[in-house]
Amino acid sequence: MKKSKFIVLLLLFCLQSGFLTAQRAELIRKDVLNPHLDKVLVVAHRGNWSIAPENSLAAIDSAIQMKVDIVEIDIRKTKDGELVLMHDDTVDRTTNGTGKVKDKTLAEIKQLRLKDKDGQLTEHTVPTLEEALLAAKGKIMVNLDKAYSIFDDVYIILKKTDTADLVIMKGAQPVETVKREFGSYLDKVIYMPVVTIDEEKSMKVVEDYMEQLHPVAFELCYRNASSPVPAKMERRLAGKSLIWYNTLWASLAGGHDDEAAKKDPDASYGYLINKLGARILQTDSPAFMLNYLRSKGWHD
């Protein structure tokens, strides 16, 4: 009798845990769609590559386990038309192989092993987009990079895996180009414009998007730390669209990058959040960023 009761309780716990896990991606999506968001979402660039090879299933899973909100992955197309995760156009840097992805079949790519951040070979192999989406499904949102030009192929996989609601696409094209080239997908996946805002004329790009598409968020990039435009963007978009900044390199966020944050996180991450209205931050140091945000009450 006691054993039966224990089994029932265990099953209930497992079902509840699975439900909560599946529910997490839905909650993250609601946050992305909330222009009044009062916390900061974290994006892990190429997954948590500090402990697993970039763009690997292990890097995605590590991001999920630490409660990152969005994982950024890169998509390439093989010789036989399959979609795999790879940042570079060749496999040279990240695997024990050589040559361009587009010149290799999926079977050939699957024979390769991925390298870690120090260039050491691991047991991990190159995942397909389908494998990555299934690993992420219900647990985390996914930003697909290098996927714009092959999105017809990508969307076939999204439909097959029922994961379109997980996906964030971005691009630096003018709004007219996006409407013409990507218009049939704008009601199927989240699309965020990428705008370089070092110059005043970038305000026009944002205004065009706000008038015609009203994106849920903009990725903003600026190099000049003294530029007045980022503060103007914060005032223009407050309560209307979220602001995404990349802290990967100094040139993307006016010097407020991951390296600067390790010396003074308040002056780097804190500045982007408190002064420039950032509510989504992409990082190469997700564990460090999460610890900082949690210490400030900006993340669960």
Side-chain angles (χ1 to χ4, degrees):
M1 210 36 202
K2 287 182 179 179
K3 185 177 181 181
S4 298
K5 188 178 289 187
F6 172 76
I7 292 172
V8 169
L9 289 172
L10 182 61
L11 286 171
L12 286 172
F13 173 78
C14 291
L15 287 171
Q16 184 181 36
S17 298
F19 174 74
L20 291 174
T21 300
Q23 202 178 37
R24 183 167 184 266
E26 295 175 18
L27 295 175
I28 297 168
R29 182 181 171 84
K30 287 180 180 178
D31 284 339
V32 171
L33 297 175
N34 178 9
H36 302 284
L37 189 65
D38 61 355
K39 60 183 177 181
V40 178
L41 304 178
V42 174
V43 187
H45 183 229
R46 306 180 199 173
N48 184 20
W49 56 261
S50 64
I51 67 164
E54 65 177 63
N55 281 314
S56 67
L57 294 182
I60 295 172
D61 184 64
S62 177
I64 292 168
Q65 296 306 317
M66 65 170 59
K67 296 192 176 179
V68 163
D69 304 287
I70 303 165
V71 64
E72 184 262 7
I73 55 177
D74 303 284
I75 314 302
R76 296 282 180 180
K77 193 173 181 178
T78 66
K79 183 179 180 179
D80 49 350
E82 299 295 330
L83 301 180
V84 296
L85 270 57
M86 183 72 57
H87 177 271
D88 303 353
D89 61 354
T90 74
V91 300
D92 300 37
R93 179 178 63 86
T94 56
T95 79
N96 60 337
T98 58
K100 293 185 176 181
V101 177
K102 68 178 184 179
D103 294 334
K104 296 182 179 297
T105 65
L106 178 61
E108 290 171 330
I109 295 259
K110 280 294 188 181
Q111 292 299 312
L112 305 176
R113 287 192 295 156
L114 288 167
K115 298 176 183 177
D116 64 19
K117 63 182 176 61
D118 299 314
Q120 300 300 309
L121 278 183
T122 72
E123 77 279 10
H124 301 290
T125 57
V126 178
T128 63
L129 174 60
E130 181 174 346
E131 290 169 339
L133 290 171
L134 290 175
K137 189 173 183 178
K139 304 169 188 174
I140 196 169
M141 290 197 73
V142 181
N143 171 213
L144 300 180
D145 200 7
K146 306 186 185 304
Y148 184 97
S149 63
I150 53 173
F151 199 76
D152 288 342
D153 299 308
V154 169
Y155 193 68
I156 292 171
I157 307 300
L158 298 186
K159 287 201 296 184
K160 180 180 179 182
T161 56
D162 190 25
T163 54
D165 59 343
L166 291 183
V167 168
I168 295 170
M169 285 290 296
K170 294 185 298 182
Q173 300 84 351
V175 65
E176 293 81 8
T177 303
V178 171
K179 287 168 67 176
R180 183 178 67 251
E181 297 178 345
F182 202 77
S184 61
Y185 296 116
L186 290 173
D187 63 343
K188 297 178 175 65
V189 298
I190 292 173
Y191 183 86
M192 295 183 189
V194 180
V195 185
T196 299
I197 58 170
D198 278 309
E199 299 180 4
E200 290 281 350
K201 65 181 181 181
S202 60
M203 295 292 293
K204 175 68 165 55
V205 177
V206 171
E207 291 299 336
D208 289 344
Y209 265 103
M210 291 297 285
E211 180 181 331
Q212 298 184 49
L213 292 182
H214 201 137
V216 300
F218 287 84
E219 178 188 316
L220 303 179
C221 307
Y222 76 107
R223 181 185 298 270
N224 181 4
S226 63
S227 171
V229 181
K232 291 181 180 180
M233 289 293 185
E234 188 278 331
R235 293 191 293 272
R236 175 64 181 91
L237 298 176
K240 299 178 179 68
S241 296
L242 298 182
I243 293 173
W244 169 318
Y245 275 108
N246 288 329
T247 61
L248 314 175
W249 306 293
S251 61
L252 295 175
H256 305 294
D257 61 333
D258 291 329
E259 289 306 309
K262 289 170 184 175
K263 299 173 184 175
D264 188 346
D266 286 327
S268 184
Y269 299 156
Y271 181 86
L272 295 173
I273 296 164
N274 295 310
K275 299 296 185 181
L276 301 187
R279 292 296 178 268
I280 309 175
L281 293 175
Q282 181 172 208
T283 179
D284 277 324
S285 304
F288 179 82
M289 180 179 282
L290 282 167
N291 286 337
Y292 171 75
L293 295 176
R294 286 166 179 157
S295 74
K296 299 292 183 177
W298 281 104
H299 203 282
D300 301 333

